[in-house]
Amino acid sequence: MEEQRETLQRIISTLANKNDEIHNFIDMLNQTIQNVQINSSNAISELVDEFDGLYSILDEMKGSMSSTIQQEQARKIHVLRNQLSQCSSALESSEELLELAAQSLDIKDPVKFSEAARQIKDRVTMASAFRISLKPEVSDSMTHLMVDFTQERHALQSVKFLPVPKAPVIDLAACLVIDNCITVSWRMPEEDSRVDHFVLEYRKTNFDGFARVKDEQSWELIDYIKATEYTLSGLKFDTKYVNVRVRACNKAVAGEYSDPVTLETKAFVFNLDNTSSHLNLKVEDSYVEWEPTGGKGQEKVKGKENKCRSGASPKRASVGGKAIVKGSRDRFAGESYTVLGNSAIESGQHYWEVRAQKDCKSYSVGVAYKTLGKYDQLGKTNTSWCIHVNNWLQNTFAAKHNNKTKTLDIPVPDRLGVHCNFDGGQLTFYNAASKVPLYTFRIKFTQPLLPAFMIWCGGLAVSTGLQVPSAVRTLQKSENGLSGSTGSLNNIAQ
């Protein structure tokens, strides 16, 4: 019966997961239908705008060309009317001369007849009727202002929707996820010389499979990519996966998106656990600051507190406006100004970085078992390993474990990188900027580990969601137990 119950529970779990996938797919389909309606309405609106633009241009051209014809008509009529006026005047003068000549034929006196004939002859010679052109100065033709829109009509009749670029194909084998960077590579399914640029979109997600419409982060957009490859850099991998999609654009329109690709983004993500930290610590998700007026443990460190007050603990702007919950914390007390991470390391390789405030007096960065004692300071028991930095009275930079100290005769970097290889039994500290190793503990870990931090008079900022840097992996393989950066604290199994 127990086996049947377990089998039934597995079936129920499988059905529930499948129902969840179908529900998510239905949500996606409904969202797609809504997008189709919206996009169709936008397309029609843009089409109407384009045609209205054409109508406006044609109306403007029609008005301009009609005006030209009317101006030509007015010019020709003016010329012809001037010519008509000249001809009418010449005709009137000629008719008067004709009547005078006819009357002269009736003159009987030879002397008078000769004089009249001579005058008529002179007037005829000078008559305007013989000087004017009897050809119209302009023609009545307006064919020079005719238009033929045959070519344009054919062009308009052949207008179609713009050719949309086809969806690119993401080359999953060529995509690379390394050093908190994602390199995405793609190709067009066929050559398209009209493609002007590409648009890449990505979003973080914790789901692998069907896209979730609800509770999904919005797509981040990278526009105007000219090549068929792009690298997203400086990412924080605080989710399990990243969805990526690409589309091609020509000068006028964007094509369909490629099929989205899901890339795994493994990284160690944790927050500082403010519910189990020392009362003198002000703890936010990724920042811890020592406060002299925290509460418990004040009497034991009164001397230190007064000294530190003279240097005034540095202030930091609040992060995200989050309220700090102090509660009844008593996980650590006394001089163990400790806060732990809220995610345990039980296998694999993990990496995070820490930056201390410049005027921080004393701090430790490392790992510890969950069994770290209430009053235990990091590195002073066999359940914790750390790098310790002391800037109070004298400067100290050392690796510490089980109350044993290995002084490091090297400068303290601005940022510390912590690489924990749980299965390989290595805890290595790095200069986070140069990836130069500072010290390596070699231990066979027997319990889950928690990131651990101890701070006095100052603050620490923690960066998580980081992949193990490729430089760190390469160094670890090449060193293979190099002893130059290790000391007497190694090979202590706990």
Side-chain angles (χ1 to χ4, degrees), residues 162-165 192 194-197 248-255:
L162 284 170
V164 179
D192 187 349
R194 290 170 294 194
V195 171
D196 177 69
H197 65 275
C249 304
N250 55 32
K251 290 291 186 180
V253 66

Side-chain angles (χ1 to χ4, degrees), residues 170-189:
I170 296 179
D171 186 357
L172 187 57
C175 294
L176 185 64
V177 180
I178 189 171
D179 292 341
N180 282 81
C181 298
I182 298 176
T183 298
V184 185
S185 182
W186 62 89
R187 57 179 173 80
M188 293 299 293

Side-chain angles (χ1 to χ4, degrees), residues 43-63:
I44 291 174
S45 177
E46 291 179 4
L47 180 67
V48 171
D49 289 343
E50 289 294 331
F51 271 97
D52 287 345
L54 281 177
Y55 299 152
S56 176
I57 292 173
L58 289 173
D59 284 341
E60 184 178 342
M61 291 180 63
K62 176 182 175 182

